[in-house]
Amino acid sequence: MKFIDMFAGVGGFRSGLEKAGHECVGYIEWDKYARKSYQAIYNTEGEFTANDIREVKGIELPNVDLWTFGSPCQDISIAGKQDGLINGKRSSMFFEIIRLLKERIGGEKKMPTYLIMENVKALLSSNGGRDFARVLIEMDQVGYDVEWAVLNSSDVVPQNRERAYIIGHLREASTRQVFPITRKGSTTAKTKIVYEPMVKYPKHQSEIVISPKGCTPTLTATDYKRPYKVSVKQVGNIVKSSSFGGNPQRGRVYSVDGLAPTLNTMQGGGLEPKILINQEKEISIRKLTPRECWRLQGFTNEQFDRAKAAGISNSQLYKQAGNAVTVDVVEQIGKRLVLEDDQTKRSSNL
């Protein structure tokens, strides 16, 4: 399927859907640093693009099968001001998607067969549930039946990140239900955390790598050979120590055995999640590196290196990781996006 990547960030939706075999033909993103990273990572030549979704007309968008969007969540997240979907200046951008769809109804441009929306889990309960009800009503009025699920990134990457995924199905199209998504086997994603040496830190402070080989930490402060156990369980908060602080998102400290914390946009400026390295004779704390945060969202080293080489600062790299949609979760969804007509054709060709 062809798709347009809206509120694109650094392309979590794009990377995941491309891994599932779909093709991106356009993107919309207003943040100049995210656009710079996006253009460095992907080959965007000849694609439709726009900076401000508010200035785009529905009829200007190319015909595609799928629109993806994760409208800003700051007005809904427990870490934000919680102004809600309607009153919040950022999260109300959801209604720009509805506007674009309304501008295509009855025209020559076709409606996308699928919509995929991602947001924080709190959307389901925001404003006493009325915000989510509004999402369902708005999608219904422009012709889409809706299904949704809360998926945790920990099923596919070593990060505890619950997000609501909402799938809109165009009523006159023949589409297949996406949820539930089940994974075979009992191995959890936290067994994929290993460490590798890096130049910028002392030898006992190494970078997280996502690996299919399981949890194999091998580096020590002395010879890089003796294994030690590491974890990512919250053990304190250096901003406010009482009950991990009034806001548990700030100044978090984790040990390194388990799942990484949920990455968010408050990273940078000293607020990055910290890791406690506990060895035989030494205890130290360091923050997750920008590269580690990108890895925990499912991006490759090559993608991170391209963004870094484009001149993106560490504070922006942290922010971009926290804003991103987890690539591997989107890939699983992308594999389920099949038109029944296409499925019939595939079966007849077997």
Side-chain angles (χ1 to χ4, degrees):
M1 294 184 186
K2 293 183 178 180
F3 66 94
I4 298 176
D5 193 6
M6 302 179 179
F7 306 108
V10 294
F13 267 121
R14 179 170 185 150
S15 286
L17 289 173
E18 286 183 343
K19 288 176 69 176
H22 305 293
E23 177 188 355
C24 185
V25 300
Y27 62 100
I28 301 173
E29 174 56 49
W30 73 273
D31 184 274
K32 64 180 181 180
Y33 301 109
R35 285 184 65 86
K36 193 172 183 180
S37 289
Y38 195 100
Q39 291 164 356
I41 294 170
Y42 309 103
N43 179 12
T44 61
E45 184 177 355
E47 295 181 359
F48 173 89
T49 187
N51 291 59
D52 192 339
I53 195 170
R54 295 169 297 183
E55 297 178 358
V56 177
K57 302 299 182 183
I59 58 174
E60 297 173 348
L61 297 170
N63 286 329
V64 295
D65 304 296
L66 168 65
W67 288 6
T68 68
F69 54 99
S71 58
C73 64
Q74 289 89 337
D75 300 308
I76 298 171
S77 171
I78 59 173
K81 295 182 178 180
Q82 296 182 288
D83 292 329
L85 182 75
I86 300 172
N87 296 325
K89 293 181 179 180
R90 297 182 179 182
S91 295
S92 63
M93 288 293 102
F94 161 76
F95 296 101
E96 292 298 320
I97 301 293
I98 300 300
R99 174 186 62 80
L100 294 173
L101 289 167
K102 287 180 177 178
E103 291 175 356
R104 295 173 75 91
I105 293 177
E108 295 181 358
K109 291 294 187 75
K110 77 171 189 176
M111 301 286 280
T113 304
Y114 284 105
L115 307 174
I116 307 181
M117 176 181 178
E118 182 264 6
N119 214 299
V120 293
K121 184 174 73 168
L123 172 64
L124 303 181
S125 57
S126 173
N127 196 21
R130 288 185 288 275
D131 284 342
F132 184 56
R134 183 67 180 274
V135 169
L136 300 182
I137 291 170
E138 293 289 340
M139 286 191 175
D140 173 74
Q141 289 179 346
V142 291
Y144 289 83
D145 296 323
V146 179
E147 60 172 320
W148 65 92
V150 174
L151 303 179
N152 197 327
S153 297
S154 65
D155 288 336
V156 286
V157 297
Q159 181 193 174
N160 185 36
R161 184 185 188 88
E162 289 187 308
R163 289 293 184 268
Y165 290 85
I166 302 164
I167 312 292
H169 299 256
L170 187 64
R171 252 179 228 117
E172 63 252 32
S174 181
T175 58
R176 184 177 72 179
Q177 183 173 329
V178 172
F179 302 127
I181 293 176
T182 57
R183 286 175 51 78
K184 297 179 180 180
S186 59
T187 303
T188 62
K190 68 182 179 181
T191 63
K192 297 180 182 177
I193 299 181
V194 298
Y195 287 72
E196 71 177 2
M198 61 180 295
V199 176
K200 291 194 296 184
Y201 291 96
K203 293 180 180 180
H204 65 282
Q205 296 181 349
S206 51
E207 280 200 306
I208 293 176
V209 180
I210 298 178
S211 165
K213 297 181 180 179
C215 186
T216 56
T218 58
L219 308 180
T220 70
T222 55
D223 61 4
Y224 285 83
K225 295 180 180 179
R226 186 170 46 187
Y228 60 90
K229 188 175 183 180
V230 289
S231 80
V232 265
K233 196 177 348 182
Q234 186 165 0
V235 294
N237 186 294
I238 62 174
V239 176
K240 292 181 180 180
S241 59
S242 175
S243 299
F244 296 148
N247 184 343
Q249 303 291 326
R250 302 181 73 245
R252 299 167 293 171
V253 178
Y254 296 80
S255 62
V256 265
D257 176 31
L259 300 178
T262 301
L263 305 178
N264 58 52
T265 58
M266 297 172 64
Q267 296 171 78
L271 298 180
E272 306 88 346
K274 314 292 191 300
I275 285 185
L276 177 70
I277 305 293
N278 189 351
Q279 300 184 94
E280 293 179 1
K281 297 182 180 181
E282 183 176 1
I283 295 177
S284 62
I285 294 174
R286 73 162 176 85
K287 63 187 178 183
L288 288 169
T289 67
R291 182 189 295 271
E292 288 171 341
C293 291
W294 278 57
R295 286 168 173 164
L296 290 169
Q297 287 286 52
F299 292 100
T300 66
N301 286 341
E302 181 182 9
Q303 289 175 317
F304 174 84
D305 290 338
R306 287 181 179 180
K308 183 73 174 176
I312 305 300
S313 68
N314 280 347
S315 62
Q316 286 296 326
L317 290 168
Y318 279 121
K319 179 181 177 181
Q320 290 169 5
N323 268 333
V325 183
T326 304
V327 171
D328 300 70
V329 174
V330 175
E331 180 186 5
Q332 297 302 312
I333 294 174
K335 290 177 179 178
R336 297 277 299 174
L337 296 176
V338 177
L339 294 175
E340 294 294 350
D341 289 344
D342 291 343
Q343 184 65 49
T344 301
K345 291 176 183 177
R346 291 178 189 178
S347 298
S348 63
N349 290 331
L350 294 178

